[in-house]
């Protein structure tokens, strides 16, 4: 398979919510993680840490999450932008498009609940990256971790794989950390990344994700 260019990886990457059962090779994941070490970080702190699960360990963790209540208080709030009217409207629009693509109506609470449970199962992705870092790290290091994760996702796309960032898994952060042997006192769980090969026939992978025009978010001064 010919590898994608950076531009092709960026333009074809999307948050995939239905995967095929095809196994992700360990050597491929190791190659990607080795390259991702070169992601930028302030003062070269490289604050990111991760565990990648597949097979029986992943299935065991997912079953534990399915039968466990979400933790209270949560690890952190990932829905704060909902207080901004524009962001709340955008969230509603994306949700409506996604459920419409799957043929799920607003009143179909059981079907929507099944989709939430499918989120816990990482949409049946064959591998899941669990990202965490030292609690002593502040906001600049959080952005470093974000740059590393973006690098990981683009490198995976270059290899023909697909991903879905899962902040939702932070609702089970303590359970996850206990399962993988990471101290809750010393580390904060950041997010999961579902990894696998997209199901091309799944409608949920085909609904349109609009992007703002460049002029809406970027200013060019002094040129």
């Amino acid at each position: 398979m010919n590898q994608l260019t950076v531009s092709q990886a960026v333009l074809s990457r999307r948050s995939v919510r239905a995967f095929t059962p095809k196994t992700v090779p360990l050597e491929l994941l190791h190659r990607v993680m080795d390259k991702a070490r070169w992601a930028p970080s302030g003062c070269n702190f490289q604050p990111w840490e991760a565990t990648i699960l597949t097979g029986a360990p992943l299935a065991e963790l997912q079953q534990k999450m399915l039968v466990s209540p979400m933790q209270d208080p949560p690890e952190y709030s990932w829905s704060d932008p909902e207080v901004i009217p524009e962001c709340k409207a955008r969230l509603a629009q994306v949700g409506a498009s996604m459920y419409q693509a799957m043929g799920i109506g607003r009143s179909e609470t059981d079907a929507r609940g099944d989709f939430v449970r499918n989120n816990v199962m990482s949409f049946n992705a064959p591998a899941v990256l669990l990202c965490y870092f030292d609690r002593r790290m502040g906001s600049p290091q959080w952005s470093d971790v974000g740059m590393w994760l973006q690098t990981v996702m683009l490198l995976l796309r270059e290899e023909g794989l697909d991903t879905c960032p899962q902040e939702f898994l932070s609702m089970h952060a303590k359970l996850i950390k206990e399962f993988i042997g990471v101290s809750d006192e010393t580390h904060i769980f950041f997010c999961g990344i579902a990894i696998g090969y997209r199901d091309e026939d799944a409608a949920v992978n085909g609904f349109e994700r609009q992007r703002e025009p460049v002029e809406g978010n970027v200013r060019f001064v002094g040129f």
Side-chain angles (χ1 to χ4, degrees):
M1 181 188 69
N2 294 327
Q3 288 188 325
L4 303 178
T5 65
V6 173
S7 294
Q8 289 170 330
V10 170
L11 294 175
S12 64
R13 194 220 66 81
R14 65 189 309 146
S15 295
V16 168
R17 294 178 174 87
F19 294 86
T20 72
K22 183 179 178 181
T23 301
V24 180
L26 173 59
E27 58 271 21
L28 189 159
L29 290 172
H30 192 279
R31 180 167 66 246
V32 165
M33 295 302 135
D34 190 41
K35 292 179 181 178
R37 294 183 299 123
W38 298 98
S41 63
C43 298
N44 200 25
F45 278 147
Q46 304 171 53
W48 49 80
E49 299 179 51
T51 296
I52 303 177
L53 297 181
T54 191
L58 176 59
E60 183 182 352
L61 173 60
Q62 290 170 338
Q63 287 302 316
K64 288 180 179 291
M65 288 191 289
L66 282 175
V67 299
S68 300
M70 296 179 187
Q71 69 182 53
D72 186 21
E75 187 83 326
Y76 59 85
S77 176
W78 46 271
S79 59
D80 280 347
E82 289 186 43
V83 302
I84 305 173
E86 295 86 351
C87 291
K88 189 172 184 178
R90 178 65 60 84
L91 180 64
Q93 181 268 320
V94 171
S97 298
M98 183 170 61
Y99 284 120
Q100 183 179 22
M102 295 185 292
I104 298 176
R106 182 177 294 275
S107 62
E108 297 180 72
T109 54
D110 289 344
R112 288 177 176 244
D114 287 341
F115 185 73
V116 171
R117 286 186 287 275
N118 197 20
N119 200 328
V120 174
M121 299 297 291
S122 294
F123 313 109
N124 295 318
V128 176
L129 181 152
L130 304 170
C131 178
Y132 43 92
F133 53 88
D134 194 306
R135 285 190 180 275
R136 293 172 294 179
M137 298 295 176
S139 301
Q141 288 75 49
W142 282 53
S143 65
D144 290 345
V145 176
M147 288 188 284
W148 177 73
L149 288 170
Q150 181 76 314
T151 300
V152 168
M153 288 189 289
L154 291 177
L155 287 169
L156 287 166
R157 186 68 199 126
E158 180 189 50
E159 297 277 1
L161 282 152
D162 289 288
T163 56
C164 184
Q166 291 191 278
E167 296 91 342
F168 179 84
L169 293 186
S170 67
M171 305 303 290
H172 294 284
K174 290 184 179 179
L175 187 157
I176 291 171
K177 283 182 281 189
E178 180 181 5
F179 185 85
I180 61 177
V182 172
S183 170
D184 180 59
E185 292 185 1
T186 61
H187 284 73
I188 186 167
F189 177 82
F190 193 48
C191 74
I193 300 287
I195 302 171
Y197 299 91
R198 77 177 69 176
D199 181 349
E200 299 285 358
D201 297 325
V204 70
N205 289 337
F207 78 92
E208 183 179 0
R209 277 84 154 177
Q210 296 179 344
R211 288 293 187 268
E212 292 295 318
V214 172
E215 294 76 13
N217 292 327
V218 180
R219 299 171 60 208
F220 299 91
V221 179
F223 291 90

